[in-house]
Structure formats: C-alpha cells, structure tokens
Amino acid sequence: MALVGASPRAASFGQRMLEEAVKSSCAPRIYPVNPKYAELAGLRCYPSLADLPEPVDLALLAVPDGALETQLTLAAQTGAKSAVIFGSAFDAQPAGQRPSLRSRLAEIANAAGMAVCGAGCMGLVNVSYGLRAIGYTEADPLPAGPVALVTHSGSVFSALLRARRGFGFTIAVSSGQELVTTAPAYLDYALSLPETKVLALVLEAMRDTARLRQVLSAAADRDLPVVLLATGQSASGRAMVAAHSGALAAADGGWEALARAHGVHRVADLAEFTDTIELFAMGRRAAAAARPGTGIATVHDSGLERAHTADLADELGVPFAAIGEQTTARLAGLLDPGLEPANPLDVWGTGADTRELFGGSLVALADDPAVAAVALAIDLVHELDGDQSYPLALVDAMQHTDKPVAVLSNLGSAIDLEVASQLRASGIAVLEGTRSGLLALGHLVNHTDRRPAWPPAHGRPRSSGAAAVPASGAPLFALLAEYGIAVPGTAQVGSAAEAVRAAEAIGYPVVLKTDEPAILHKSEARGVLLGVHDAAAVRAGYADLATRLGPRVLVCEAVPAGIELALGIARDPELGPLIVVGAGGILVELIGDRAVALPPVGPELAGELVGELKVAKLLAGVRGAKPADLDAVIAAITGLSALATDLGDQLEALDVNPLICTPTGAIAVDALAIPRTAS
C-alpha cells in the first residue's frame, strides 16, 4: 500500500490513514509517501510514488483536489493496480471546454486498468481479508460477519461500522462518486466470499446497471437476501412526464421495478434497514408457508402495546399467523385466568413464573406450523432488581425451535444495551422499534417465497418492430389492438359530414374527441364530448371542437362506465422501458396509486401488480357491485408489456388512460405516445 499524504501531525487525516493501514491484519507492505518526512511510524517515507521500490496494489490518495490528477497519473505510471480518492475532486477553476477533473481522473484510471474507490468517499474495509483503507479511526478489530455493505454515503458507512447491532461485515465500502469502480463490482467480489450471506446497499443512483442486474440475479440464485435503501429520485425522474405514466414512475419507479425483478428487499429508512439486516444476518430463515394464514407471532407483557402492535402490523401489511386449536389449547394451559390465548398474545397476569410463562408461550407459538417467526415484544429495559426472566425465556425458546426468535422492542432508547448484546451473541435479533421491527419481520417472512419477477417474454404478435409508433388517435388504437388490448371503434375525421358518417357506422351514442397533436390531455382542454346521440349533436359537437381546438377530431364508440385504471410505459434511462399500472382517470395523480415492473410482464406478475393497488378492492367489487373482468385487465397489461418489449426503444412514454374495467372486459378509451427523441 502507498499512503500518499501520510502525516505525523496529530489528529490529521494523514495520520489516521496511516494508523488505520498499520492495523490491517493482512500485514501489507506499507509505503508512506510525503516529501516532508524521511520516516513515519517507524516506516521509511518516500518523497514520491515514483520512488517506491515496487508497484503497489493500492494507493491511498489523501491529497488536495488540486494534486489529485498528478498523483493518480503517477500511480498509473508506476503500475498501481488501484486507488482510493478521498477528496471530492472538485474543479476550483474549470478551464473552458476542458473536461472536468472527475472526467480526467476517470480517463487516467481507465486507461491504466486501475480500480478506483471514490472520489468523495470514506474508503473501504475488507474485513474477511484484513484490509483497512480508510482515513478515520474505526474499531479494532472491525465487526466481522456475513454482511457485505456498499453505500454511497460515508456517514452511513461509519455509522454501521459502529452500530453494535450484532452483525458484522465481510466488506464495507464507501464508494462515493464511483468515478471508475461502481457498486456492482464490489458486490461481485463480495459474492465470491463464502462468508457473505447478506448484501446491504445504500444507493442514490444506478451505475453499470447491466452488471448490477447480473449481481442481483446471482444473489437470487444463491438465495442471498439483498436489502436496499435507495435515496433520492431515481434516473427515471428524468423521463418526460407529459404522459401520466411517466409522472407516476418518476419518483422511484426504476428502483421499484429493479427490486421487484430481482427479489430485492426495499426499505424506507435506516431504522428498517438495520433491523432487516440484523434479522437476516442472524442466519435463521422464516419457516416456509405450511398452510394459509402463515405469519409472525408475538408475545407481549402489555395489553396496550399488544393492541398497538396489532394495529401497526395491519397498517404495514405484516401478517400474524392464524394459530391452530392445538396451539390455542397449549397457551390456555399456561395463561392466568382471564387472558385470551391468541396471536398476538398478552401473557401478563400475576407476574409469577415469568421465565416459564414467556418461554413456554414462545415455544408453543413457534411449534405452530403457521408461525414463521416468533418475537417477544417488550421494551427490554434495564431491570433494576436484576431480574433476567425475559432474556432467559428468549434463550429457552431459541434452544427449543429452529425458527427465528427476536425481540421486538417498542422504544429503542430504553433498551438495555448489555442484555441486547448478550441476546445478539446468542443469535437472537433485537429489533429497535415497533414499526421498523415489524417491517423487518415482514421482509423475513416474505423471503421464504420471494422470487425474481422475471417471466418469459409474452410473445411478439407484430411481424416487425421497425414502424414508428403513432403518437395518438386511430393509428395508436390500432397498434394497441395488435397487442391484444381492447379498444373502442374509432374513426379519424376532418369535417362535420365525415363525423356524421363515422358516427352512423359506429352506432349511437358516440364520443367526440379532439385529435390535435399538440393537445396531449384532451379532458383538460375540454376536448371530449360524451353521450352524442344523433347527427345534429355530432354536427354541433364537431363545430365546437373544430372552432376551439382544431379540425382534427376522433369519433369513438361509447364505452359503459367502470373502474378506471391507467396503464403505461415510462422510460428509465438506466433500465429502459418500465411498465406502470395505476389508478386511472382523475385519480391518476390525485392518489399516486401505482405499481411498476420491468418487462416482460407475464400474467402472474400482472395480477400481482393489480393486487398491490388501492383500487384493487374496487376491481374486486364493493357494496354489491360485480367484480371487474380481471383476466381482461391482465391481458391488457401483458399486451402492453409485449409492446414495450418490441417497441420500447422508440418510446419515451406511452399512456393508456383510462382503461375502463367492467364485468365484461377492459377497454382502452384514450392513449398517448411520446416518441423517444434522438438525444
């Protein structure tokens, strides 16, 4: 290792970098580089990378931004295989059309075949190998364990290394700007380590997406859980949002589709992230579903907290197991009179025989075939009288079942850290919040049947995908029909007489719509006339639209009212076309109800997308209404997926809104396509 910028100055970055490198248990040969000194920490110090006695595997560049280009060039010229750039690589005085400093650094490294961590990073630790390439003081030894962490955030990197959560790392990387080496490269390496059992990612952008997907597929093939916290707007936010589908997908549709396609566990914040990692890192997996009603079981010492947990789990969609009669009878034999043998379970009565009561309840629940994992939902406070009944009950349960056992704490700040450490050492996860802990348990349970949503291609009915996608009107309806998406009878007209002839051919009543290309959203321009019943109304309606908006008009078959969905294709610059399914009509942006997937989307996945929507209950029929034809809805989604597979490269977005869903079918009554521009 070459440490450029190593220093003896107390508390300086250069001093800490040197101290940390010396702690590396892999015992690398370390060459401090600084022209001001002849020796540092008992090691000979060299004036320049050019003076080193051998090429190095790794050069740590702790130098100002203005010196980065010179030092990376020297590293490349002297045969260094890799480098860490801690600085931000910011151009203080960009020179006209000259490439940016970051671009120049990437070019230097790529030309030399060098791997580079950073710029703007905290460095990396390879715990399995024993390497510390960092500039801030961390624990020695570092926590070793099954988690491979790659994060764009240096703060998250340091926080997790110091979290004392009972899990450790094979590698932990603060990859920063990823000028050269991207997250998938580190993950690919992590998968080569037999100790790696969990991938943990904190990412704000997708880079090298093809390789990322390869790594995620490899992890899925090995049944390794991947936990992802994606921050900020994904690259799909740059998609054009003139189509509603683009607007719906823009926030983080790319991340959602990527996670769905590869069975990744997405989390919403760092609390859920760490609780979920801890559960997976403990090694025990949730029992696979043995019968309907599979879920978690919790044991409580508070009736109020039991009710609160039940309410929160219902809100979050985390299922409680429907326990059987035999389990209910076992619990009844343990409980004090007046307590209900149920799941979730409140066992607090007289407080006698606490260890036996709680341990026995946990074991009884764990023995139920429907229970995938058990948790003792307590505050785990420091017991001032020294009582150890709760931790002993947990250890008893752990020894009597091979299912996951956890503490579901209600108040993280009240946790007895010493007891928590002891439980974690026994393989019992201590989840530090009711909400985050329930979500983590949900991820654990869902992993038993989690699979990549990557079905075979739907099939390609078109003989050729070479023709340009029409933007709107009858030609776009015709294209949708080619892909099995039902559309109303439609005619494009340019005069009142043509409109009357078309209406009589289609059959009254009809709908008149403006077909002017510049008007993307017809209803907002008052460009849709419903319930046109006769020739006189057609003439009057056509005259109104032509006068206000222009002479191009569509005459369409009237479609009965129904539940309205929006289907769409939205382009993500990294992933390509995304399939978007959401609430339609006026609800499309009002409630933001949508699900996103990567094509191809087969019938099973299409059904899952619909089932995730808030409007799914409307489709199923409410208050006596007949359910919509779900098969027709699924056929429309899979048809749109096939269109995306064939023609998605031509599209920035395609919008079908609304798709009117009735008991007898699903019909696309309006559509808009936005072609992809050359740029």
Side-chain angles (χ1 to χ4, degrees), residues 411-460:
L411 189 62
S413 60
I415 292 173
D416 186 320
L417 297 181
E418 182 178 352
V419 172
S421 179
Q422 294 168 356
L423 291 174
R424 286 165 171 152
S426 300
I428 298 168
V430 179
L431 309 177
E432 298 191 355
T434 313
R435 177 180 291 271
S436 59
L438 282 170
L439 287 167
L441 287 165
H443 288 297
L444 187 72
V445 171
N446 290 337
H447 192 77
T448 59
D449 62 352
R450 200 171 186 86
R451 67 217 181 276
W454 204 247
H458 176 267
R460 302 189 175 193

Side-chain angles (χ1 to χ4, degrees), residues 569-641:
I569 300 170
R571 166 162 290 279
D572 183 291
E574 300 296 334
L575 295 169
L578 307 177
I579 300 300
V580 186
V581 181
I586 62 172
L587 298 178
V588 63
E589 290 170 341
L590 182 63
I591 63 174
D593 185 20
R594 63 101 168 102
V596 185
L598 285 164
V601 175
E604 182 178 0
L605 177 54
E608 291 179 10
L609 296 176
V610 173
E612 292 178 10
L613 301 178
K614 298 181 182 72
V615 296
K617 294 180 179 179
L618 295 177
L619 294 170
V622 293
R623 295 188 176 182
K626 291 183 178 180
D629 184 348
L630 189 58
D631 289 339
V633 175
I634 288 172
I637 297 170
T638 56
L640 191 68
S641 169

Side-chain angles (χ1 to χ4, degrees), residues 13-93:
F13 190 92
Q15 183 198 48
R16 291 194 298 261
M17 176 179 65
L18 179 57
E19 289 177 344
E20 291 300 301
V22 169
K23 295 175 187 175
S24 296
S25 61
C26 65
R29 291 187 297 282
I30 297 174
Y31 301 116
V33 177
N34 193 323
K36 297 179 181 179
Y37 309 102
E39 181 181 296
L40 287 174
L43 299 170
R44 179 181 174 185
C45 188
Y46 294 83
S48 167
L49 285 168
D51 300 313
L52 300 184
E54 62 177 328
V56 296
D57 297 295
L58 176 60
L60 307 186
L61 305 184
V63 297
D65 289 349
L68 278 174
E69 187 170 8
T70 298
Q71 294 302 324
L72 188 64
T73 299
L74 275 173
Q77 291 172 347
T78 56
K81 296 178 182 177
S82 60
V84 175
I85 299 177
F86 296 106
S88 64
F90 176 71
D91 271 314
Q93 293 179 331

